[in-house]
């Protein structure tokens, strides 16, 4: 029996192959720049706080992106995505001024870059909603997530290598060029029209209001909030485990990140993920895998720690694919991009808040307290009776 949700079927959807190629260049730019910019900031100032602040500026840009939801909803998605890419490329080029001029320019540039990138990612969700037949949305979302996981593994290394080989100037040129090429490929894709809602219906229908008012979106968003909170704690937990349990240097975190990224790529290639038709089931399986991973982390020794991050890396993409699919199935053509922006912003806001909370709690409590709290939250969310009804539940 032929698998109607396999890669060959997905690639036969008009426009999807070109969009995947465009996203290869766009996501390469995104994932290469974030870590590279943080490394560059730390090297230039000699201050790790300066590096951390660039990450915070990126997070702030994502959180603010829903403010553009109304503007985005009234634009054709193909042109909006290309325009966001070109705007991001312009922001990247402005970093050349920060390389030789006032350093503080890097922070507003980082925020604007993340703002434009979030708009492109949010519009992509709405674009795929109109481009892809409903039965193939989860398989297509899985392919895009698989690409993202692969580039998340490779492009930060490429970015740091470029920084060492040619300095920030070469990083700026490569990332800006990648974004421009992505914009050009997007414009070669098929166009889809977005019905414009009447003005009275449009008022008050922001992404956040729709997340709250739709029972299906509200329920699945609560599950994703649990995952985002746990992942916020994870930013501190990894370093605490390395220091207090494994007794290794902080640089060992690169091993955990690599293992988690490889597991993420493999996790998105599992055939079962493409045959599940209920987004909430994908999210619950992802929560279960991630919760079990952090439970294994409580066992002493190196091998349980490595196994833990395999499970975590495999589970997180399932949550993202399920949530993206739910955002598409519970939205309309005129609201899909705005709802996606709000969903991304919500995840970023929760995760950033819990990064700070985890860092504070980690200063006073044993790492096992953090890990246990994460296990409880994740497994409770996976088994919860949170109602996720309505379309696509």
């Amino acid at each position: 029996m032929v698998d109607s949700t396999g890669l060959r079927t997905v690639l036969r959807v008009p426009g999807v192959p070109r969009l995947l190629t465009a996203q290869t260049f766009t996501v390469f730019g995104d994932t290469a720049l974030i870590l590279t910019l943080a490394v560059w900031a730390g090297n230039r100032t000699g201050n790790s706080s300066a590096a951390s602040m660039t990450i915070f500026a990126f997070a702030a840009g994502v959180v603010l992106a829903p403010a553009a939801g109304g503007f985005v909803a009234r634009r054709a998605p193909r042109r909006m995505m290309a325009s966001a890419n070109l705007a991001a490329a312009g922001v990247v080029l402005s970093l050349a001024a920060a390389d030789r001029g006032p350093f503080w320019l890097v922070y507003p540039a980082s925020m604007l870059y993340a703002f434009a990138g979030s708009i492109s990612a949010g519009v992509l969700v709405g674009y795929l909603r109109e481009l892809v037949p409903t039965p193939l949305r989860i398989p297509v979302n899985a392919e895009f997530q698989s690409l993202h996981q692969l580039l998340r593994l490779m492009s930060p290394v490429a970015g740091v290598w470029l920084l060492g080989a040619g300095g920030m100037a070469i990083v700026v040129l490569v990332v800006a060029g990648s974004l421009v090429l992505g914009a050009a490929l997007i414009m070669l894709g098929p166009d889809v029209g977005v019905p414009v809602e009447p003005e009275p219906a449009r008022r008050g229908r922001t992404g956040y209001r729709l997340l709250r008012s739709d029972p299906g979106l509200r329920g699945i968003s609560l599950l994703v909030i649990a995952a985002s909170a746990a992942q916020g704690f994870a930013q501190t937990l990894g370093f605490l485990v390395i220091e207090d349990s494994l007794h290794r240097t902080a640089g060992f975190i690169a091993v955990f990140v690599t293992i988690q990224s490889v597991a993420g790529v493999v996790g998105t290639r599992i055939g079962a993920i493409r045959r599940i038709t209920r987004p909430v089931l994908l999210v619950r399986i992802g929560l279960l895998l991630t919760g079990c991973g952090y439970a294994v982390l409580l066992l002493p020794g190196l091998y349980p720690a490595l196994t833990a991050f395999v499970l975590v890396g495999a589970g997180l993409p399932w949550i993202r694919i399920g949530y993206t699919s739910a955002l598409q199935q519970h939205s309309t053509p005129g609201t899909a991009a705005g709802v996606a922006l709000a969903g991304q912003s919500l995840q970023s806001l929760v995760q950033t808040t819990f990064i700070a909370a985890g860092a504070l709690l980690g200063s006073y409590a044993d790492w096992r307290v953090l890990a246990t709290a994460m296990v409880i939250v994740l497994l409770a969310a996976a088994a919860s009776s949170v109602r996720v009804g309505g379309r696509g539940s």
Side-chain angles (χ1 to χ4, degrees):
M1 180 178 179
V2 177
D3 183 4
S4 62
T5 62
L7 178 59
R8 289 183 182 179
T9 301
V10 165
L11 292 179
R12 283 199 292 266
V13 178
V16 166
R18 191 162 286 150
L19 265 180
L20 276 168
T21 307
Q23 281 299 101
T24 300
F25 292 101
T26 300
V27 177
F28 172 83
D30 285 344
T31 51
L33 187 65
I34 295 174
L35 178 61
T36 305
L37 199 57
V39 171
W40 172 77
N43 290 343
R44 176 167 171 175
T45 64
N47 186 342
S48 59
S49 295
S52 300
M53 282 300 295
T54 63
I55 305 297
F56 179 82
F58 275 108
V62 176
V63 170
L64 293 173
F71 175 82
V72 167
R74 295 189 292 273
R75 293 331 185 253
R78 184 186 63 169
R79 298 192 180 194
M80 191 68 246
M81 283 180 65
S83 298
N85 265 32
L86 293 176
V91 172
V92 172
L93 290 173
S94 75
L95 289 170
D99 189 24
R100 297 183 178 276
F103 174 77
W104 62 266
L105 289 172
V106 72
Y107 299 124
S110 298
M111 186 173 68
L112 289 172
Y113 180 79
F115 185 88
S118 295
I119 288 174
S120 180
V123 173
L124 176 63
V125 174
Y127 191 15
L128 290 175
R129 182 193 186 281
E130 300 310 304
L131 202 62
V132 178
T134 301
L136 288 177
R137 283 181 189 159
I138 287 178
V140 167
N141 290 333
E143 293 301 334
F144 277 86
Q145 184 60 219
S146 183
L147 174 67
H148 186 88
Q149 290 296 317
L150 182 61
L151 290 171
R152 182 174 176 265
L153 177 63
M154 299 169 56
S155 55
V157 177
V160 173
W161 179 83
L162 287 170
L163 180 66
M168 196 60 192
I170 190 67
V171 174
V172 164
L173 289 175
V174 170
V175 171
S178 181
L179 291 167
V180 170
L181 187 52
L185 288 168
I186 290 167
M187 286 304 296
L188 293 175
D191 203 3
V192 294
V194 176
V196 179
E197 292 182 299
E199 189 66 32
R202 192 186 302 147
R203 293 193 192 106
R205 291 178 65 81
T206 65
Y208 278 120
R209 287 196 179 99
L210 286 168
L211 286 182
R212 187 176 65 248
S213 61
D214 185 282
L217 285 179
R218 184 171 62 245
I220 202 165
S221 293
L222 288 173
L223 300 181
V224 173
I225 285 173
S228 299
Q231 279 308 107
F233 272 3
Q235 308 307 308
T236 298
L237 179 66
F239 288 103
L240 291 177
V241 169
I242 289 168
E243 180 181 349
D244 298 338
S245 178
L246 302 181
H247 307 294
R248 296 173 182 263
T249 62
F252 194 77
I253 194 69
V255 175
F256 285 167
V257 171
T258 301
I259 288 173
Q260 183 173 319
S261 297
V262 171
V265 174
V266 175
T268 58
R269 305 312 310 165
I270 296 173
I273 200 172
R274 289 159 174 76
R275 291 189 288 272
I276 294 173
T277 59
R278 299 174 60 219
V280 68
L281 181 57
L282 286 171
V283 172
R284 290 189 190 276
I285 292 172
L287 288 167
L288 180 61
L289 287 171
T290 308
C292 289
Y294 288 120
V296 171
L297 190 62
L298 289 166
L299 300 174
L302 175 61
Y303 291 111
L306 299 179
T307 302
F309 282 94
V310 169
L311 291 170
V312 171
L316 291 176
W318 287 56
I319 296 172
R320 298 187 189 107
I321 293 166
Y323 194 41
T324 299
S325 301
L327 293 174
Q328 291 168 335
Q329 292 185 17
H330 287 265
S331 60
T332 63
T335 63
V339 170
L341 286 174
Q344 294 166 4
S345 173
L346 181 64
Q347 292 175 78
S348 181
L349 178 61
V350 171
Q351 186 164 332
T352 302
T353 300
F354 278 84
I355 287 173
L360 181 62
L361 184 58
S363 301
Y364 299 98
D366 185 86
W367 67 268
R368 295 175 189 84
V369 174
L370 281 176
T372 301
M374 292 162 66
V375 171
I376 292 171
V377 168
L378 289 165
L379 295 184
S384 71
S385 59
V386 171
R387 180 178 177 271
V388 185
R391 290 170 293 175
S393 64

